[in-house]
Amino acid sequence: MKYLRRRLIFTLCLCLMLSLIGCGKTDEEGTVTQTTASVQGSDNVQGTAALNSSPENPAKEAYLYVPSFETVEGILDLGPEASLCGNTLYTEQRTYGEAKEDLRYEIWSLELTTMEAKQLSRNLGENEYAMSFTKLADQTLVILTMISGGERSQESSRFFLVFCDENGQEVRRSEITEAVNGDGKWEADELYPEDLEADREGNIYVMLGGMDTVLLGFDPQGKLLFTVEESGPGDGLYRSESGDVFCIGDKRGAGESSCVLRRLDAASGGFAETWEGLPGLVDQACFAGEDTLLISSGNTLYRYDMASKSREEVLNWINMDILANDILMLTMLPDGRILVLTRQYNGNETQLEAAYLTRMPVSEVTQKALVTIGGLSINYFICEQVIAFNKRSDSCRILVKEYGEDEAGRMRLQSDLLAGNGPDILDLAAVNADALIARGFLADLYPLMNECPDTAKEDFLPNVLSIYEQDGGLYGIVPGFHIESLMGKVSVIGDGSGWSIEEVQALLEEKPGTQLIYGAWSSREMALPKLLMLNMDHFVDWSSGSCSFDGEEFQNVLEFASMLPTQAEARRDDDFMDKIARDELLLVEFNIIRVVDYQLQHAFFANEPVNCIGYPSSNGRGTLLEPWLSLGILESCQHKEAAWEFISWLLADEFQMLAPGFLPIRESTLEKHFQAAMESEGTKYGYNGMGFDLPPATEADAQAIRGMIDAGQGASMADTMILQIIDEEAAAYFTGQKTVEEVAKIIQSRVQLYVDENR
């Protein structure tokens, strides 16, 4: 059975649920189930999976899954052809002879109960590649192979079912090229062989995948029996313990968010039965009993019961110290352990690692303080750091909970916060931090920072710290950030340190017909939220509960937004540099996470003197210091020192220096970034089809970035409901249905009511 499936990696929805740590029970088959009772906030066990107890005796000792790891010797990696047949994994390995061009493709097996790897006697022929494996009841190994004209391309390729003995020696082969190509029903490269499986009678099934799915059924001699065409992609073929073959695929119908399980039947020439209720995304699956499947979906492992057609969560991969994207295969071993094979990276090389998940009594597991980090979604890089931290910390273990980014997820998070059941460490991007601070939900971090020798306040950029400072307290921390601002020629916009909306309007009146901004945020829909983030403190005071949207200042924001093009009208001209040179384009929006980003923006202006003047704002500080990640500790957290231990891990120089995608908050680390950029050999940079040879950074480049940080202001997340109210009501002004005064009064009324209800 093949276990490497096509993944939607960059949706990468990380479904991390704290409910994986809870009390529960063991069913008759010994399979773990659990309730959502939280143990967060108490001194507890290492706690990497669901706790469970006996239904007959709820007080009976609870159990949980605990991982252990070992490196797999003999096989470096698994490709998409890797398939599990019983307890034996078959895969194709590339080996080189004495000359590097002497490349051979060999068939290897890995016995999972002993982790013994061996090469089979059969090597693949010239330009022949294995695509999947299965085994018949008589132990005949069947390999689906492709012979191409020199590359792995389906066009002009031939496909075979190759029958081998248990040592891999070829016995016979049957060509299935005509069946795979559909006799002209579909294009040769439209559908591609992805999986292979055989039932107990020796009938063989091939799944062709692409945007849609085709299932081919063959008799034991390789003769085509039937073809079934399905809309939507398939997720693989799976064989039950009794020898039935099942297909997992998307549920039919637009808008469906779940997969279905279907049993294939050679006698009827198609599907015999269907089971619904599987997760919407199936990354890996295996049978764990005749009528039970284990299904990995995102960061959650589910148990699916075919009798009741229902699923329940078993464990969370992050809490197993496993990244879901690293998983290549999972199976249930005969002794009840769950085996997970993952791909690990060691420099430029990969290695195969086996994770054994063993169900153990709580009393036998090392005691550690449990701390939960939670939010609507958790940054993937942070999940990596959770695993790294957990492997090194002797006193604390971090668990992850993701509520989901839909409205239901927001409501669940809000409900947990109000009930005092929120996570210990909260991703502040998910919430209105000002409202939580006003209600006393967030702890002051300065006492924790001061007690830790590695996190002295003066080590960090004060303007970035100030994002979550209030009344002398620090209620959130930003491990990394990026700079967003507007750049223009000094000769056009002057050399001032900031400007107001009125000043921008005056500039446009001076230069009629010019384009104001070039950049992703140049449209009204994208600029308005940014203007509100810069000025929200002037419109809402959560500590007093007052709002001021009906004044002239807010009306100016709406009037300025009305001058910008809609998203449909906004232009991203390829000749923007020519427009800059002719002074027909006044400003370029930019985002800085590296020194080279500033250098590139300056190059757009032919290295003329520029001013990073920022967005218009009431206080003249229009450069945004946008958090890459914002974390706070809830006042209800019972292990604040342990929670700070993880946060300080993210503030350490090692993490700050190596982490991608943001500027570090630690001042000494930022200076190291500047120094590295100045000592580099320069950068070749491509943008919109243009090439730029950027020299090593200069001290002037570094000073320009320092100046933006010193002059900028933090942009904490504005309340999404307030932004939604403004967006809904402002539309009437933008379309001319109401005056700006009328709209401002309506917004004032609605937001004031919302603030009153949520203080």
Side-chain angles (χ1 to χ4, degrees), residues 60 83 266 282 300 419 628 753:
K60 186 178 179 181
S83 308
V282 175
T300 304
W628 168 78
L753 178 62

Side-chain angles (χ1 to χ4, degrees), residues 340-382:
V340 185
L341 292 181
T342 66
R343 177 185 290 121
Q344 302 298 313
Y345 296 92
N346 183 13
N348 294 325
E349 297 183 350
T350 61
Q351 64 183 30
L352 201 59
E353 185 174 75
Y356 298 92
L357 310 184
T358 305
R359 185 171 171 269
M360 296 178 62
V362 169
S363 60
E364 297 180 11
V365 182
T366 304
Q367 300 289 320
K368 285 189 179 183
L370 297 183
V371 173
T372 303
I373 180 171
L376 299 183
S377 64
I378 302 299
N379 183 294
Y380 178 78
F381 191 70
I382 294 303

Side-chain angles (χ1 to χ4, degrees), residues 282-529:
V282 175
D283 295 317
Q284 311 286 339
C286 70
F287 273 92
E290 179 57 31
D291 297 317
T292 302
L293 284 91
L294 294 178
I295 298 174
S296 177
S297 178
N299 271 343
T300 304
L301 180 67
Y302 293 95
R303 172 187 181 271
Y304 180 80
D305 180 68
M306 296 174 64
S308 62
K309 297 185 178 181
S310 63
R311 70 178 188 268
E312 51 195 354
E313 298 167 10
V314 175
L315 56 82
N316 174 305
W317 291 123
I318 298 297
N319 296 338
M320 294 283 105
D321 295 336
I322 295 171
L323 285 170
N325 272 5
D326 292 342
I327 298 174
L328 301 173
M329 184 279 298
L330 69 88
T331 189
M332 179 76 83
L333 294 175
D335 60 9
R337 292 179 298 167
I338 299 173
L339 171 62
V340 185
L341 292 181
T342 66
R343 177 185 290 121
Q344 302 298 313
Y345 296 92
N346 183 13
N348 294 325
E349 297 183 350
T350 61
Q351 64 183 30
L352 201 59
E353 185 174 75
Y356 298 92
L357 310 184
T358 305
R359 185 171 171 269
M360 296 178 62
V362 169
S363 60
E364 297 180 11
V365 182
T366 304
Q367 300 289 320
K368 285 189 179 183
L370 297 183
V371 173
T372 303
I373 180 171
L376 299 183
S377 64
I378 302 299
N379 183 294
Y380 178 78
F381 191 70
I382 294 303
C383 291
E384 290 184 312
Q385 295 307 306
V386 166
I387 291 175
F389 175 86
N390 285 339
K391 289 182 176 180
R392 290 173 61 173
S393 176
D394 296 326
S395 59
C396 170
R397 183 167 188 85
I398 305 298
L399 307 177
V400 179
K401 180 175 183 178
E402 186 173 52
Y403 287 83
E405 295 185 278
D406 57 6
E407 189 58 32
R410 295 180 186 276
M411 294 301 294
R412 284 193 295 270
L413 175 56
Q414 182 178 1
S415 177
D416 277 1
L417 291 173
L418 292 174
N421 294 327
D424 299 301
I425 302 173
L426 179 62
D427 180 358
L428 297 180
V431 297
N432 182 332
D434 290 334
L436 291 183
I437 295 169
R439 300 178 71 167
F441 282 9
L442 291 175
D444 183 1
L445 302 181
Y446 273 140
L448 296 166
M449 178 182 285
N450 294 334
E451 290 175 8
C452 178
D454 299 323
T455 56
K457 179 180 177 180
E458 55 270 20
D459 292 340
F460 304 106
L461 297 167
N463 238 11
V464 183
L465 281 181
S466 70
I467 295 176
Y468 289 103
E469 277 185 327
Q470 283 194 23
D471 300 324
L474 181 68
Y475 298 95
I477 192 76
V478 178
F481 67 101
H482 59 265
I483 300 171
E484 292 185 19
S485 191
L486 298 176
M487 179 184 288
K489 290 181 185 178
V490 170
S491 61
V492 175
I493 65 173
D495 58 1
S497 59
W499 54 358
S500 66
I501 287 175
E502 292 81 3
E503 289 172 313
V504 178
Q505 291 170 326
L507 178 65
L508 285 174
E509 290 172 4
E510 271 181 40
K511 300 181 179 296
T514 58
Q515 182 179 340
L516 178 62
I517 303 174
Y518 174 83
W521 304 90
S522 59
S523 70
R524 177 190 304 161
E525 294 89 340
M526 304 303 285
L528 182 56

Side-chain angles (χ1 to χ4, degrees), residues 129-168:
Y129 310 100
M131 308 193 76
S132 193
F133 302 81
T134 190
K135 255 189 173 180
L136 305 183
D138 63 2
Q139 299 304 303
T140 296
L141 177 65
V142 183
I143 311 173
L144 172 60
T145 70
M146 176 180 76
I147 297 179
S148 73
E151 296 183 2
R152 291 187 179 222
S153 170
Q154 186 162 337
E155 191 172 356
S156 303
S157 297
R158 299 172 65 193
F159 299 90
F160 296 87
L161 295 175
V162 180
F163 298 81
C164 306
D165 62 24
E166 59 184 11
N167 296 316

